[in-house]
Amino acid sequence: MTTEIRIKANEARRLKNDTAFEQFVQEVRDEQHRLFAGSEVSDVDTRENAHSILRALNQIEFILNAALAAEVILDRKERK
């Protein structure tokens, strides 16, 4: 379990530090914000799709941060 937490945290750290990955994610996020804000009142599908994609991006970020937090907790437990 300890090894798995550390591997996952290292992978999360690598992705969060990868500027190309972060730029691509930001481009997708910016495009979805643009689509959401620029949609017509009647264009519910566009807004729902953009909202779903934004939620998915937020979930990816949450999972990456959770992997890093799990490693911090593990480090604190090991120090005791």
Side-chain angles (χ1 to χ4, degrees), residues 17-75:
N17 290 332
D18 186 331
T19 56
F21 174 76
E22 289 295 322
Q23 287 174 346
F24 285 120
V25 169
Q26 189 59 49
E27 284 180 32
V28 172
R29 190 180 302 276
D30 292 345
E31 176 65 11
Q32 297 312 307
H33 277 121
R34 187 190 67 71
L35 289 171
F36 191 94
S39 65
E40 297 293 325
V41 172
S42 61
D43 199 357
V44 176
D45 288 339
T46 297
R47 282 192 305 279
E48 285 184 357
N49 188 44
H51 183 254
S52 295
I53 292 170
L54 289 168
R55 285 181 52 99
L57 291 173
N58 289 339
Q59 185 67 21
I60 291 168
E61 187 175 345
F62 176 82
I63 290 170
L64 292 174
N65 289 333
L68 296 173
E71 184 179 47
V72 168
I73 292 168
L74 179 64
D75 288 342

Side-chain angles (χ1 to χ4, degrees), residues 6-19:
R6 295 207 184 279
I7 289 170
K8 195 169 184 179
N10 284 333
E11 291 171 347
R13 191 175 296 105
R14 183 176 45 83
L15 283 173
K16 287 183 68 80
N17 290 332
D18 186 331
T19 56

